[in-house]
Amino acid sequence: MASNSNAISLLTRLLENASLLKPKRKPSLLLPSSSSSILAHLNSTSSPPSTFHLNRAIESLAACGRISDAYDLFDQMPHRDGGSWNAIITACVRNERPRDAISLFRQMYGEGILPKDVTFASVLSCCADLLELSLARQIHGLVLKLAFSSNVILGTSLVDVYGKCDIVDEARKLFDLMPHPNAISWNVIIRRYLEAGRGDEAVAMFFRMIGAGIRPLSFTVSNTFLACSDIFALKEGCQIHGLVVKIGYECDVLVRKSLLEMYAKCGAIDDAHRLFNLSETKDVFLCTSMVSAYATCGRIGDAELLFEEMSDRNIVSWNAMLAGYARSACWEKAMNLFQRMRKETEEIDILTLGSVLNICAGLFDLETGKQVHGFAYRNGFHLNLFLMNALLAMYAKCGCLRNAEIMFFRMDSQRDRFSWNSLILGYEHHCQSEKALAALREMLRETTPNESTFSSGLAACANIFMLDHGKQIHAYMIRKRFEIDDIIRAALVDMYSKCRLIDYSVKVFEQKKSSDVVLWNSMILGCAYNGRGEYGLEIFEEMQKHEIRPDNVTFLGALLACISEGYVNLGQRYFILMSEEYQVVPRLEHYECMIELFGKHGFMVELENFVESMPFEPTTAMWTRIFDSCREYGNRELGKRAERCINETNPLNPVIFEVIPERDSVPTDSIDCS
């Protein structure tokens, strides 16, 4: 009896001390070095070791990370019961060996041993990790057969596995059947809605949980703030903030971090800043969240300042600043930061490499991108889907389409929608629109496209004037009920305009009011290219009335419309307005438009004055247009100057200035803007 007590005492001490043992430390005297010695020790007592004691030994070995010894002990056991199987299955789960756990479960059931609820829970967690939906359904059937359906732990596990396997509606049905879901159950369903991109339902479930009188876990609150961020639900986020203060979670690091991110992503950056300043402890995690918040809202200067003030930085901090630079297209600064990062820390992860590849694409720096590819290969990152997609996108954007195709075909069954989109976009951007449309057709056989796919496809149709294909894409989106957002509308307007179906462009544009400048730009340019400059200028004026800030492309469209309609004075006013009121620096194409505007309509004095006022010497193409205008309208002095400049840059094909016989009349501007 005493010996049995000693054995129990020993195993109890093993369990109590298992969490203190580390695999790299010298084995504790309390823990024999192998399963054989455990058996020998227990056999030295007056009575043989019981199955109960051996089960506890398996658990203690697994808790110390000695899964092989736990296996050996399990295999040597003279008698096993349900607890033995549960112990070894749980050991596999804890040591991240889900396939072994599932295999043992199948063997256990095959030997006629009925699992307990804890065994089911362990195996369901493995199914969730491996996305083994078929097995999960079979286990679900067993759970119902063995009358465990009211068990809250198993109910939660089933909700979890169905949610992870992307059948959230079934997960929700199971959740609604649970008689008394606990706080963990609510956390699981909210998390699965969040991961499925259904943030609105995640937020709704959170408020339903509060209505049911369940106190949320801090993780649940954090997940709900993330859901509010995804759907820009600032009002709901503020309400949850009030609840957080009421239940005392405002000091929780995770909650505070997700709350700050919610305010930032919802555009309430001042609230995020205020929350940051009120925090007593500004640790590396909170500072990193604020850096990310500033960068997300485009306040890259504030992000830089806070980043430099941080006394401690982790890999997430560096990644947040890199992503912020990339989001603001500060490619040079981003690359310099990465070089500095390499000197200050040895930490680099998948997200870092993904950001650097994005930066390489922004800079069209193919050589550095190839070096990152080599680094990823040497360090075993190259098989990661996220990084493979980043490499594919980099090669495609840099025009190295052969390497992009190689990456794409190597991915085989791993490739996803992002992989297809990157390849199609690469083809479209680099004048291979036929290949882009062929890839789009192939994609439809393998996966479901999204709005980004169709945007690239419509751009490809516009490039090669494939009106029928563009109409088919438009019709497909309507049939399949895809959202025709502002990006798609801009692509449709551009496609129909370039295919000379301007009336269709106008219909798409006028379907719904929008503040998206790209959509307005597409319509203004489309009108200019289709001889509808008058309507394009009306749109430009309407745009200003709605206080939609024009950019350089907007002014380019307005100037082209002025050229087509002969509105010289108005074009001059727009050119001045561009820099003086909107601080848009004129680009080469704007100067080309002004030269075309003056030259085409015979305003020679204005043309000469404009050339004299230009901050740079006209290009050869500009001098050629000036030369032609001077010949047509008889401006000998400026024409001779243009002749000299053209011949200096192209002496092998000299031009000779000769005035073309005078035209009957010189057009005058039809709008008096004085």
Side-chain angles (χ1 to χ4, degrees), residues 565-572 601 603 667-673:
E565 298 297 323
Y567 295 162
V568 178
N569 289 344
L570 185 61
Q572 284 182 286
H601 300 290
F603 283 70
T668 57
D669 200 356
S670 58
I671 292 182
D672 183 4
C673 299

Side-chain angles (χ1 to χ4, degrees), residues 131 133 137 155 158-177 185-202 205 208:
L131 305 181
L133 179 59
R137 290 190 186 281
L158 285 165
V159 169
D160 186 49
V161 70
Y162 284 154
K164 283 184 177 177
C165 290
D166 205 25
I167 46 172
V168 189
D169 290 332
E170 286 197 40
R172 174 62 184 275
K173 287 176 183 177
L174 281 174
F175 179 85
D176 289 340
L177 290 172
S185 312
W186 286 97
N187 182 65
V188 167
I189 189 64
I190 289 170
R191 179 69 184 177
R192 296 301 155 248
Y193 271 134
L194 172 65
E195 290 175 344
R198 294 163 67 170
D200 52 343
E201 290 172 276
M205 288 299 284
R208 182 179 155 191

Side-chain angles (χ1 to χ4, degrees), residues 18-28 31 63-66:
S19 61
L20 303 176
L21 301 175
K22 305 292 182 185
K24 294 182 180 179
R25 290 174 58 182
K26 184 177 179 180
S28 168
L31 188 64
C64 298
R66 292 167 61 173

Side-chain angles (χ1 to χ4, degrees), residues 456-489:
S456 297
L458 289 167
C461 293
N463 291 342
I464 54 178
F465 314 113
M466 296 286 284
L467 178 60
D468 288 342
H469 283 69
K471 283 183 173 180
Q472 289 171 19
I473 292 173
H474 192 182
Y476 180 90
M477 292 191 71
I478 293 171
R479 283 199 311 274
K480 298 295 183 179
R481 298 186 178 180
F482 279 92
E483 181 187 1
I484 309 292
D485 59 15
D486 287 340
I487 296 173
I488 294 296
R489 287 173 68 203

Side-chain angles (χ1 to χ4, degrees), residues 405-530:
E405 289 169 342
I406 291 170
M407 283 295 304
F408 180 80
F409 289 114
R410 279 182 180 170
M411 292 167 73
D412 195 21
S413 60
Q414 281 186 279
R415 62 188 176 226
D416 57 10
R417 181 188 297 159
F418 186 89
S419 318
W420 281 99
N421 286 351
S422 296
L423 187 67
I424 292 168
L425 184 65
Y427 284 141
E428 184 268 314
H429 275 186
H430 295 282
C431 305
Q432 296 193 31
S433 295
E434 294 89 348
K435 279 192 172 183
L437 295 174
L440 175 55
R441 285 192 294 272
E442 288 295 320
M443 178 184 181
L444 292 172
R445 298 190 183 100
E446 184 173 300
T447 187
T448 305
N450 62 3
E451 288 77 8
S452 178
T453 319
F454 296 122
S455 178
S456 297
L458 289 167
C461 293
N463 291 342
I464 54 178
F465 314 113
M466 296 286 284
L467 178 60
D468 288 342
H469 283 69
K471 283 183 173 180
Q472 289 171 19
I473 292 173
H474 192 182
Y476 180 90
M477 292 191 71
I478 293 171
R479 283 199 311 274
K480 298 295 183 179
R481 298 186 178 180
F482 279 92
E483 181 187 1
I484 309 292
D485 59 15
D486 287 340
I487 296 173
I488 294 296
R489 287 173 68 203
L492 284 166
V493 167
D494 185 57
M495 185 273 295
Y496 284 128
S497 298
K498 288 181 178 175
C499 293
R500 302 296 181 185
L501 213 58
I502 188 65
D503 290 338
Y504 276 44
S505 295
V506 173
K507 286 180 181 178
V508 171
F509 176 76
E510 293 181 345
Q511 277 177 354
K512 185 173 66 174
K513 292 295 181 184
S514 169
S515 60
D516 182 61
V517 68
V518 177
L519 177 59
W520 288 80
N521 289 349
S522 297
M523 194 66 250
I524 293 169
L525 286 168
C527 289
Y529 289 136
N530 284 272

